[in-house]
Amino acid sequence: MKLRNYKQYIIGGLLAGGLLNFSACSLDYDPLASYSDVTEGVQDEEGEQLEFATKADVESALQALYQLIRDRMEHWYMDQLLMGDSHSDNAYGGSTDGGVINYENNSIDANNPNIVRDWDRFMADATQATRIINNVDLVPDASFSESERNSIKAQAMIFRAFIWFEMTRMWGNIPLNTVLPPDITADNIEEVYPDYFPPQNTQQEAYEKIEEDLLYAVQYAPDTDQADKTLFSNDVARALLAKIYAEKPMRDYNKVIQYCDELEAHGYGLADSFSDLFGMNETVTDMKMRNTREGILEAQFPASGGNWMAWMFGRDLLDYDYSFTWAKWITPSRNLVAAFEQAGDTERYNETIVWYECSWSNYYPSDHYAFAYKCRSGASSMIYLRFADILLLKAEACLRGDNKDLNAAADIIDRIRERAGLAPLSASVRGNEASLWEAYKLERRLELALEGQRWYDLCRWDEVENVMNNIDDEGRAANVNPYNANSYLMPLPQTVLDSNENLVQNPGY
């Protein structure tokens, strides 16, 4: 007897050794959750099981990936900001909920619900991409051209590479589900059972596979449409390549520079005003702008709203009082506020942090309480990749690469500062490598504050212990555990370890 329906509901979770959860409290969207040819597969003339029968089936599966990056906001956006900012000196947890406060006080363990959610959903999402990648060339549809197949495969590879990039930065060694096991039958259960519970690939192997897929995508993914930054274009692949080449396992600063320069040659640059990225229009009914020349990959939402992250972080300016009765996540820290004030950085401060009166006083007096402000309405776009991030990585490459170029790095920093309304760096800073490095780190912190980047920057610079054990912030919860060499990676979820004995917990947990 054949044990069916593994493809959609089980494979993703079993490959992780964890639980598969497709629920999304945002829009109650369940991608590919109903029985159909896409979920059940079809048979070819020889009776072999196929995932997709037609080009339309594959296109539907690809659109489901695009829907995931919009609708499953918890792990794609909220938890990444929680890790990147609340687990760093940029923000407090915000809520007193145990799963959130663990990030602030360094007490994350293998049972943290956010860690469990992120692993399960990322593994499930990656499996959806792998289904497309592995089966698009098998579709028996004469109208489906080779170029169309390559394009769809490349877009799915970008989606999966983005997931694996986030996962390997969080957990280090992860299973790479590049081969989906067949259906389990009474005859093959012993043979295929181990395929459902694979060991981890090393972080180096993960980065190498990410690189391989992104290089394919550079060649075959669609070109950028400057009027639509929601697409997995070949420039999204270039931006992700620039980011992976800045990381320690794949560090090649020359390639960081190469891909940044290619993006700029394709028309990317800084938006004219920092407020163009996050601001609302004058009537506060929609975003000020979408698809700026700075955006590389965005999830966009209609003017009527649809992005519920706004009320996770503060007020939804489309509905000012809606769901504003409970403590919000990712509260900007006093340390971050002081960094903006000491730099005289008024413009970016006002676009990053806002102060409201509220009914709780977890971190600030209730009549003057700080909130994250870059996602401020149901119409706000989630900017997953933007050019300023990549441009600053180029400055880092000029400062830390084999061919140092202090002037080039200083020019990039000044370009970012000019957009923020700040004076150029002084000659003494420009001419001193140590001073310029400190200026760079500060500029990156202020430019990308509350966008989920800070923690990973500290990890990349090997500064977690130095910064996180010495924070000057009277409002921050005391560390339950000191930060050390084991703090750079998160624990694998205990549920996953319990169900897959081939997985190994990270040191220190």
Side-chain angles (χ1 to χ4, degrees):
M1 180 181 68
K2 217 168 192 182
L3 305 179
R4 294 297 309 273
N5 304 337
Y6 279 89
K7 291 289 195 291
Q8 173 67 23
Y9 293 103
I10 299 178
I11 287 179
L14 289 180
L15 282 168
L19 303 174
L20 179 55
N21 181 354
F22 275 107
S23 64
C25 64
S26 55
L27 301 177
D28 295 324
Y29 178 79
D30 217 12
L32 300 183
S34 60
Y35 296 125
S36 68
D37 284 349
V38 177
T39 60
E40 284 293 277
V42 296
Q43 292 185 343
D44 65 10
E45 293 180 356
E46 286 74 36
E48 293 295 323
Q49 200 71 22
L50 299 176
E51 286 285 351
F52 308 111
T54 67
K55 177 173 71 172
D57 290 341
V58 183
E59 290 172 337
S60 176
L62 178 64
Q63 288 308 308
L65 298 189
Y66 279 101
Q67 199 72 31
L68 283 173
I69 205 169
R70 289 184 71 255
D71 292 349
R72 302 251 304 253
M73 290 178 276
E74 297 101 323
H75 63 293
W76 274 107
Y77 191 73
M78 183 172 68
D79 287 354
Q80 294 308 299
L81 267 61
L82 185 63
M83 172 64 71
D85 290 289
S86 293
H87 198 49
S88 77
D89 51 351
N90 273 359
Y92 314 126
S95 169
T96 56
D97 175 81
V100 175
I101 199 69
N102 296 157
Y103 287 79
E104 178 184 344
N105 64 19
N106 198 33
S107 61
I108 299 172
D109 61 27
N111 294 307
N112 181 279
N114 303 96
I115 292 290
V116 174
R117 171 173 64 198
D118 292 347
W119 179 281
D120 290 347
R121 291 189 177 183
F122 273 140
M123 288 299 299
D125 292 353
T127 298
Q128 293 305 323
T130 299
R131 289 178 62 246
I132 296 173
I133 294 164
N134 290 6
N135 291 285
V136 65
D137 290 332
L138 303 178
V139 176
D141 188 334
S143 70
F144 202 0
S145 70
E146 181 180 1
S147 62
E148 290 173 322
R149 294 172 194 258
N150 289 341
S151 175
I152 289 176
K153 187 187 301 184
Q155 291 172 74
M157 284 180 171
I158 291 171
F159 178 90
R160 188 177 68 178
F162 198 174
I163 291 172
W164 283 345
F165 176 59
E166 298 290 6
M167 290 188 70
T168 197
R169 287 199 299 176
M170 287 179 68
W171 289 291
N173 300 339
I174 59 172
L176 300 178
N177 53 335
T178 58
V179 177
L180 301 184
D183 289 334
I184 297 176
T185 70
D187 296 328
N188 72 2
I189 187 168
E190 290 187 5
E191 177 184 350
V192 306
Y193 186 83
D195 293 336
Y196 284 88
F197 299 95
Q200 294 136 291
N201 295 85
T202 67
Q203 189 175 46
Q204 182 69 36
E205 289 170 338
Y207 272 105
E208 288 173 356
K209 182 56 180 170
I210 292 168
E211 177 190 38
E212 176 187 332
D213 285 359
L214 291 175
L215 290 174
Y216 181 95
V218 166
Q219 185 175 359
Y220 293 111
D223 291 337
T224 293
D225 180 351
Q226 292 291 346
D228 184 2
K229 299 299 183 67
T230 68
L231 301 177
F232 301 135
S233 70
N234 51 29
D235 281 332
V236 172
R238 290 182 174 90
L240 286 171
L241 282 166
K243 289 182 75 68
I244 71 165
Y245 287 130
E247 296 295 323
K248 286 177 283 188
M250 291 292 288
R251 184 158 291 166
D252 187 335
Y253 278 133
N254 289 331
K255 290 183 178 178
V256 173
I257 295 171
Q258 171 194 334
Y259 286 109
C260 179
D261 289 347
E262 288 183 13
L263 288 170
E264 191 149 23
H266 292 174
Y268 290 91
L270 300 181
D272 292 338
S273 169
F274 198 70
S275 68
D276 291 345
L277 299 168
F278 310 104
M280 301 289 290
N281 61 16
E282 292 183 0
T283 57
V284 196
T285 55
D286 196 1
M287 284 200 73
K288 180 180 179 182
M289 295 185 69
R290 294 185 178 87
N291 303 308
T292 70
R293 61 177 178 167
E294 189 164 342
I296 301 173
L297 179 64
E298 303 177 6
Q300 298 176 358
F301 301 86
S304 58
N307 174 3
W308 54 271
M309 287 292 97
W311 46 264
M312 288 300 299
F313 304 143
R315 290 187 180 277
D316 183 346
L317 297 187
L318 297 181
D319 192 350
Y320 196 72
D321 292 320
Y322 178 75
S323 196
F324 197 67
T325 58
W326 43 273
K328 305 303 181 178
W329 287 33
I330 310 172
T331 300
S333 69
R334 290 168 175 80
N335 189 275
L336 178 62
V337 171
F340 275 114
E341 291 176 343
Q342 290 167 11
D345 192 348
T346 303
E347 183 170 347
R348 287 184 297 197
Y349 179 11
N350 290 337
E351 295 296 326
T352 304
I353 301 171
V354 67
W355 299 81
Y356 295 129
E357 183 176 348
C358 61
S359 59
W360 58 92
S361 55
N362 295 346
Y363 294 97
Y364 295 96
S366 61
D367 60 351
H368 189 63
Y369 204 94
F371 294 88
Y373 198 46
K374 285 183 172 176
C375 180
R376 61 191 70 166
S377 81
S380 290
S381 296
M382 294 177 184
I383 305 177
Y384 290 114
L385 293 167
R386 66 181 177 100
F387 185 68
D389 175 12
I390 310 303
L391 185 61
L392 283 167
L393 289 177
K394 178 181 177 180
E396 182 174 317
C398 293
L399 283 165
R400 285 292 183 261
D402 295 332
N403 303 310
K404 289 185 172 59
D405 189 338
L406 301 190
N407 284 330
D411 287 345
I412 290 172
I413 296 170
D414 277 346
R415 184 174 167 188
I416 299 288
R417 289 174 62 83
E418 180 182 8
R419 201 260 299 270
L422 299 175
L425 298 171
S426 67
S428 61
V429 171
R430 290 180 66 96
N432 183 283
E433 183 176 345
S435 298
L436 191 56
W437 176 245
E438 292 302 315
Y440 165 73
K441 290 189 296 182
L442 175 62
E443 207 60 41
R444 188 165 171 87
R445 183 186 187 189
L446 299 182
E447 176 70 20
L448 301 172
L450 307 186
E451 295 182 44
Q453 300 293 331
R454 176 65 170 170
W455 169 257
Y456 297 113
D457 285 346
L458 296 178
C459 290
R460 191 174 66 256
W461 301 331
D462 291 319
E463 293 200 3
V464 167
E465 300 97 320
N466 178 49
V467 171
M468 298 307 297
N469 290 329
N470 298 288
I471 298 175
D472 181 13
D473 192 329
E474 64 182 11
R476 190 174 187 86
N479 290 340
V480 171
N481 303 299
Y483 288 83
N484 56 39
N486 293 329
S487 301
Y488 287 69
L489 296 175
M490 295 297 103
L492 274 67
Q494 189 61 48
T495 53
V496 173
L497 296 170
D498 290 344
S499 61
N500 184 356
E501 63 183 11
N502 293 318
L503 299 183
V504 179
Q505 183 60 280
N506 284 325
Y509 297 102

